[in-house]
Every structure is written in structure tokens, then in C-alpha cells.
Amino acid sequence: MTQQDSHAGTALVVLAHHRTDSLTAHTARRTAARLEASGYRVDLLDLQAEGFDPRMNEADQPDWGDREKRYSDEVHAHMQRVLDADVVVAVFPVYWQSVPALLKGWIDRVWNYGFAYGRSRPRLAGKRILWLGLAGATADDPVVAGMQSVLETGLSEGIAYYCGFSQSTVGLLTDAEERPQRVDAEGNLLIGEAVAGAERATQYAAFDRRAEEFVEKFLAEELVTS
């Protein structure tokens, strides 16, 4: 058995963006390719392309008196995709220091009572998740440290660990905009000039490398813990 084969499993890559030509979608596709190169079977879930409705509805509203409630067929299909995965990677733009409604609604409807939580032994116990969030802030913006902390608290502590995941890592990818953005000491949003040509190519090549480094580190941590 090769080293690659010894770590093979299933990875669910969840793309939460409304445009297929976005940097977020590009990052999700590259992440999927990297996981495949490491021996994973990849299930790429493009929430927008698959028409997932993030709005909670009556069929999928939790019934706190019945953890065996039968939710909608759509949600059960998504639940099975989560169950089939050893690793989950969510790729999304950071909105208001949080995830976009598309991803939040997927978690609300799919990671539901009786499935992801509400049992003495969570059905998702032992799974691992990497959250890759793309942010427009520049790496040297003071807001980044707070953003990282907020995301780790909300995503790792508030969601993943609550649902039994054995590991949750937040990879914050700054400098995701063509125009550098930062907030000054007075709270003003400062937007710089858009990069172009060779400078733009260099910027996005560096961005791709940082995204891949997050994935590589996440996979390496599995080698240590498995």
C-alpha cells in the first residue's frame, strides 16, 4: 500500500458562492484537485449550482421532541453526503466576519437535530473539517486577528466541535480582492488601486500557494493524529 493510498478516503468539498467564475469557486476546484492528488475520492458540492435553498422550511424545522423526525428528501440526500465523507472542506467568502447565507442555511437545514447533534454519540463524531474563508482585508489589516478569532469561535467551537468533529481548522485567506481593502483607525474603509498585468498574476499565484498550504497542513495533521 502506498503512502497516498494509505490515507485515501472521501472528502466533501462544499462551495458556497453564487458565481462559478469567482475566486472562491476557483479555490474550491483547486482544493478538490489537491485532495484527489492525495488519494481522496472527492464529492464537490456546489450549493448554488445544485440549487440548494438555504431558507429553513417547515419540513426541516427541528422538532425538539422527536430527534428521529424525517426531514425533507433533499436534506436527507445532503446528510448522506456528509456521512459518506471522512473530511469536509467548506470554501466560502467571509461576509460580516461570518459565512454567507448560502453556507449558513446549508448548516441550519442539513446539520440538524437528531443528525448532527442531539445524541449522546454524534453521527459526525471523528470527522475532520477545514474552513477556507476568503476575505477582502489585507494581511496587515488589524481587523484580521479579530476576524480569525470570531471565525474560530463560531465555526469550530460553535458548530464543528458541538457536532462531534475531532478536528476543525479555520484557514483565513486574506487579500482576496483585486483592490486592497482595509479599515483605518477612524473606521473608514480604504480601497486601493486595482492590480493588473504581471502584478495581478503574481498576487493570485501567491494566493493559490497560501490556499494550498492550508490544505497541505490540514492533511499533514491527519498523518500525525491517525
Side-chain angles (χ1 to χ4, degrees):
M1 180 179 290
T2 67
Q3 182 180 23
Q4 177 173 313
D5 290 336
S6 67
H7 304 114
T10 298
L12 176 64
V13 178
V14 184
L15 167 59
H17 200 284
H18 51 281
R19 283 176 31 213
T20 58
D21 62 347
S22 63
L23 182 60
T24 304
H26 165 81
T27 301
R29 290 190 293 267
R30 283 181 59 90
T31 297
R34 181 64 192 85
L35 289 163
E36 286 182 339
S38 295
Y40 282 91
R41 185 187 74 81
V42 173
D43 178 6
L44 180 56
L45 169 54
D46 184 335
L47 293 172
Q48 180 74 19
E50 295 195 18
F52 183 82
D53 186 348
R55 296 173 297 179
M56 180 57 76
N57 56 52
E58 185 174 350
D60 297 320
Q61 182 177 345
D63 181 347
W64 307 116
D66 179 14
R67 70 181 184 185
E68 306 299 335
K69 175 181 176 178
R70 174 72 190 184
Y71 297 109
S72 68
D73 290 342
E74 177 187 29
V75 158
H76 275 278
H78 281 263
M79 286 176 173
Q80 190 59 53
R81 292 169 80 169
V82 177
L83 284 175
D84 290 342
D86 303 287
V87 167
V88 178
V89 182
V91 189
F92 58 93
V94 176
Y95 291 164
W96 301 108
Q97 301 202 29
S98 186
V99 299
L102 186 59
L103 180 56
K104 179 58 165 60
W106 181 71
I107 293 170
D108 288 345
R109 289 184 62 200
V110 178
W111 297 30
N112 214 329
Y113 178 65
F115 170 68
Y117 64 96
R119 297 179 182 274
S120 57
R121 180 169 174 25
R123 290 178 173 174
L124 307 185
K127 296 184 185 295
R128 303 169 63 244
I129 186 166
L130 172 62
W131 309 87
L132 284 179
L134 284 72
T138 57
D140 61 350
D141 191 328
V143 76
V144 171
M147 186 184 301
Q148 179 80 34
S149 178
V150 167
L151 289 170
E152 288 179 351
T153 299
L155 301 179
S156 293
E157 297 180 22
I159 299 176
Y161 293 141
Y162 185 73
C163 294
F165 278 75
S166 61
Q167 181 185 351
S168 176
T169 300
V170 176
L172 182 57
L173 291 162
T174 57
D175 300 287
E177 297 287 348
E178 292 182 1
R179 297 175 181 270
Q181 301 179 12
R182 64 175 301 141
V183 177
D184 66 16
E186 286 72 42
N188 301 306
L189 176 62
L190 307 178
I191 302 179
E193 295 295 325
V195 296
E199 183 181 1
R200 184 174 187 273
T202 299
Q203 175 181 324
Y204 284 105
F207 184 93
D208 284 343
R209 283 195 300 273
R210 286 188 287 120
E212 186 165 327
E213 286 170 1
F214 275 123
V215 177
E216 293 282 359
K217 183 178 180 181
F218 180 73
L219 295 178
E221 289 170 348
E222 179 188 19
L223 300 182
V224 172
T225 58
S226 62

